[in-house]
Amino acid sequence: MSGNHPILKKPKIEHENDAAQMAEDKKDEQGREREVGTSIQEQEEALIALIEHRSREVDHLKKRISYYQSQLEETEKKLQVSESQFARLRAQRIVSPSKASQASGTKSVKVIPPIHVDEGSSRSQPQNKTQLLIPAINPKAFQPKLSSGSGARASSVSNSRSSPSRLTNSVTKSKEEKVHRRSPDAEVEDRGIKRKLEQKEHKELIPLIRSRSSPCTIDCYSSNHISSQHKRKLRSLVLCPVNDQLFATSALDGIINLWQIQSRGSTASLLSGTDCLSAKERRWPEDIAWHPLGNSLVSVYSADNGDSQISILNLNKTQGRSRITFIEEKPHVKGIINSISFMPWENASFATGGSDHAVVIWSEKDDEFSWKPKVLHRNLHSSAVMGVVGLQHKHIVLSAGADRRIIGFDVESGRADFKHQLDNKCMSVVPNPCDFNLFMVQTGIPKKQLRLFDIRLRQTELHCFGFKQESSDSQSALINQAWSPDGLYVTSGSVDPVIHIFDIRYNSDKPSQSVRAHSKRVFKAVWHSSFPLLISVSSDLHIGLHKIK
């Protein structure tokens, strides 16, 4: 009976309840451990994301600091140049009156350096006052001259009022006006020489090619599209070599438009449009180039049917057909003249390459509207010459042809210095602006359109890269490339509505980034030399202004 007593069964029931409770507690503890583990993992992931984000912010700020530091140094140099020019002008203004008074023994009304002016030129001055299309090539650079000149004009006018002769007063004022009109032209020439000297500073960039596993990307944070004012597809886009605010475009309508950048690249205004169709066949300019002094634009056409091959657009004339001068010489014998490029040498000259396999160099004779051609070679290429450029440190003209050849012709010796044979047709050649031994060639192979070469190495390709085309597999010679001012980046147009950007330090054959820039194919995108800005043209008949940092 004692075995069936209910009191004796109680410990067994309590033991079972305790075991169940322990199992439940263990499950709860495991659940809490899983929750804690999940929470820690989430926190780690969040912190990793935050670290990556702040690392990108640090890199971005470092890039901005580096950019603004370089801009500061460049602007300080420009300020020193302007101050020295202002000091020289003021010294001339002070010295000149003393020399004039010593020569005449009386008080002279001339307070500027004496310049020989005949009566005819003095009488023609009122007609020339409106001759310049742009009053000042660079208003900032010319401001000190204008401020100092205003004092000279005021002094001259006050003295002339007491003069017994009104004729003397008018002649003196005409002379002064001519001097002040000539000062900007002299300043433009000085700036052109200064730009050439700046370009001659060589930097070693070839060792940096393919040196990084990741690219340095550029932030394109703002874009503005303006109508090109052309009626047909654009063909060329060129920046003025001496005025940072000017650029020109040409199109199949035969019009060359001159533009001025406004608000540090936020927009641009059209200054003029000129009909530059050839005189006989009414052909549009195939390519255009800016004279190193910035006063004119040179266009190339075709050699068929005796048509004009070269024209000069004089930007110092405001209107009339007299703005266009067609060169009489016709050294190309047939076909389209595909390319024109000014040589980066001391004496002004440019080279042209045509479908007749010829490369011609044109030397300036008396002024920038008179040129003498000389055929460098006709037989070194077996097909059309698509691109021509000159090297900075040697008198060598590079030519790229559809025959897959790259020829380096020594102008001084009159023979080919080297020849490269590639595996596909060449459509353009562009030298690096900083490393004088580095140049880029565009070829017709998809994903390998761009090739880098060292001028010192024969048949050696430094790097090959390119882009995939979504719209078409065909390669076009109208798709142009451009170097950044520091020589580290390349922009390329595309049959797609994007701008491809390459970092030559990136160890990859793909673009470091691609920027959607237009609604149709992009022909060209160039880097501005002063503003953080990319300017592009497209078959959508718009000009793109893309601010970068």
Side-chain angles (χ1 to χ4, degrees):
M1 290 181 61
S2 60
N4 297 329
H5 199 276
I7 296 177
L8 296 178
K9 295 181 179 180
K10 184 176 181 180
K12 184 177 180 181
I13 296 174
E14 289 179 354
H15 178 72
E16 293 176 353
N17 291 338
D18 291 341
Q21 185 65 36
M22 289 176 64
E24 186 175 351
D25 292 342
K26 188 174 182 180
K27 290 181 180 180
D28 292 341
E29 184 176 356
Q30 292 175 348
R32 284 194 297 270
E33 290 178 352
R34 284 195 298 271
E35 291 178 358
V36 171
T38 303
S39 177
I40 292 174
Q41 184 178 0
E42 291 176 351
Q43 291 178 10
E44 288 179 349
E45 292 176 352
L47 286 173
I48 290 173
L50 183 61
I51 290 171
E52 291 178 350
H53 171 70
R54 289 178 175 171
S55 297
R56 286 193 296 268
E57 284 186 336
V58 169
D59 292 340
H60 173 65
L61 291 174
K62 286 181 178 179
K63 291 178 185 177
R64 295 189 66 179
I65 291 172
S66 175
Y67 168 75
Y68 285 114
Q69 184 67 33
S70 64
Q71 289 293 103
L72 175 61
E73 294 174 357
E74 182 179 353
T75 306
E76 286 177 344
K77 292 179 181 178
K78 292 181 180 179
L79 175 61
Q80 292 175 0
V81 172
S82 300
E83 289 175 344
S84 63
Q85 291 173 348
F86 177 69
R88 287 196 301 269
L89 183 64
R90 173 167 287 183
Q92 291 176 353
R93 186 166 62 88
I94 294 173
V95 171
S96 181
S98 62
K99 289 183 178 180
S101 60
Q102 290 174 4
S104 61
T106 59
K107 186 176 181 180
S108 174
V109 297
K110 292 204 305 183
V111 293
I112 51 180
I115 296 177
H116 176 73
V117 182
D118 57 19
E119 292 298 323
S121 62
S122 299
R123 286 192 297 268
S124 64
Q125 287 306 314
Q127 297 178 357
N128 292 337
K129 288 183 67 176
T130 59
Q131 186 176 2
L132 285 177
L133 178 63
I134 304 164
I137 294 297
N138 193 333
K140 292 184 179 179
F142 298 147
Q143 191 63 32
K145 284 184 174 291
L146 295 176
S147 61
S148 62
S150 61
R153 286 194 297 270
S155 171
S156 176
V157 170
S158 62
N159 290 333
S160 63
R161 287 177 180 173
S162 61
S163 174
S165 173
R166 293 185 180 182
L167 178 61
T168 304
N169 179 24
S170 62
V171 172
T172 304
K173 289 174 67 178
S174 298
K175 291 180 180 180
E176 288 178 10
E177 289 172 358
K178 181 168 184 177
V179 170
H180 287 288
R181 278 195 295 271
R182 291 178 62 182
S183 296
D185 294 337
E187 182 71 16
V188 170
E189 189 169 355
D190 292 341
R191 289 193 66 206
I193 296 173
K194 179 175 179 291
R195 179 66 59 87
K196 288 182 181 180
L197 293 176
E198 289 176 350
Q199 289 179 346
K200 291 180 181 178
E201 182 181 353
H202 174 77
K203 295 181 181 179
E204 287 287 343
L205 300 182
I206 290 178
L208 301 178
I209 296 175
R210 305 179 65 181
S211 61
R212 295 183 177 179
S213 58
S214 60
C216 293
T217 58
I218 295 171
D219 184 11
C220 182
Y221 65 93
S222 175
S223 293
N224 182 28
H225 295 82
I226 59 176
S227 173
S228 67
Q229 305 295 324
H230 289 288
K231 298 179 180 179
R232 298 182 64 186
K233 289 182 180 181
L234 285 89
R235 183 59 68 101
S236 300
L237 166 67
V238 287
L239 302 182
C240 180
V242 296
N243 187 342
D244 297 334
Q245 297 179 345
L246 300 182
F247 67 93
T249 58
S250 70
L252 300 184
D253 56 9
I255 305 297
I256 292 182
N257 285 337
L258 184 65
W259 299 85
Q260 184 172 20
I261 297 173
Q262 306 285 349
S263 304
R264 294 188 60 83
S266 297
T267 186
S269 59
L270 179 64
L271 296 179
S272 67
T274 307
D275 181 359
C276 294
L277 290 169
S278 64
K280 186 175 181 180
E281 294 294 319
R282 306 294 292 168
R283 288 189 60 87
W284 57 80
E286 295 291 342
D287 194 15
I288 61 176
W290 217 303
H291 191 283
L293 296 183
N295 295 326
S296 60
L297 283 161
V298 185
S299 303
V300 293
Y301 299 90
S302 170
D304 291 334
N305 301 322
D307 199 7
S308 301
Q309 298 185 10
I310 303 289
S311 75
I312 314 293
L313 171 59
N314 184 0
L315 299 179
N316 285 343
K317 287 185 177 293
T318 57
Q319 59 186 356
R321 189 67 182 179
S322 60
R323 294 189 73 193
I324 301 294
T325 301
F326 289 97
I327 305 300
E328 294 181 359
E329 287 80 1
K330 301 174 182 179
H332 290 278
V333 296
K334 64 177 181 179
I336 295 172
I337 303 172
N338 297 301
S339 177
I340 177 174
S341 175
F342 271 88
M343 302 295 99
W345 305 332
E346 183 178 357
N347 298 324
S349 61
F350 63 86
T352 56
S355 299
D356 59 350
H357 313 173
V359 173
V360 180
I361 191 162
W362 303 69
S363 301
E364 197 171 43
K365 292 194 291 186
D366 301 326
D367 53 48
E368 60 188 277
F369 306 104
S370 179
W371 299 86
K372 180 181 179 181
K374 176 184 177 182
V375 178
L376 293 184
H377 55 85
R378 292 190 188 275
N379 302 318
L380 296 181
H381 285 283
S382 60
S383 187
V385 177
M386 304 302 296
V388 287
V389 292
L391 297 183
Q392 285 272 3
H393 59 317
K394 297 180 179 180
H395 280 205
I396 290 180
V397 177
L398 291 180
S399 58
D403 57 358
R404 307 181 181 184
R405 296 175 187 173
I406 306 168
I407 306 294
F409 191 87
D410 191 325
V411 177
E412 294 180 346
S413 66
R415 59 181 178 84
D417 184 69
F418 67 87
K419 300 178 182 179
H420 288 341
Q421 184 74 44
L422 303 188
D423 56 354
N424 202 274
K425 62 180 179 179
C426 304
M427 293 180 284
S428 69
V429 55
V430 190
N432 188 279
C434 298
D435 193 327
F436 302 156
N437 297 312
L438 178 62
F439 66 94
M440 171 178 55
V441 176
Q442 178 195 6
T443 65
I445 302 179
K447 300 183 182 180
K448 294 183 179 181
Q449 291 94 336
L450 307 180
R451 316 286 183 91
L452 298 182
F453 294 93
D454 187 340
I455 198 74
R456 299 163 298 184
L457 302 177
R458 308 305 190 198
Q459 302 288 352
T460 302
E461 185 177 280
L462 302 178
H463 189 23
C464 176
F465 48 92
F467 47 88
K468 180 182 179 182
Q469 297 182 166
E470 301 294 339
S471 302
S472 171
D473 291 332
S474 63
Q475 305 299 305
S476 173
L478 300 179
I479 301 302
N480 293 282
Q481 289 76 40
W483 287 100
S484 61
D486 60 7
L488 295 176
Y489 294 90
V490 175
T491 50
S492 175
S494 171
V495 297
D496 301 316
V498 297
I499 300 172
H500 296 296
I501 301 177
F502 300 87
D503 181 357
I504 66 171
R505 297 163 295 182
Y506 184 30
N507 186 18
S508 174
D509 58 357
K510 300 178 181 179
S512 56
Q513 60 190 112
S514 297
V515 179
R516 187 172 183 86
H518 289 272
S519 60
K520 294 183 179 180
R521 64 186 298 176
V522 178
F523 288 123
K524 190 175 185 179
V526 296
W527 306 73
H528 198 276
S529 59
S530 299
F531 304 144
L533 181 70
L534 280 175
I535 305 176
S536 61
V537 290
S538 166
S539 59
D540 63 8
L541 302 184
H542 282 80
I543 299 171
L545 302 169
H546 316 281
K547 288 192 172 183
I548 58 177
K549 58 182 179 180

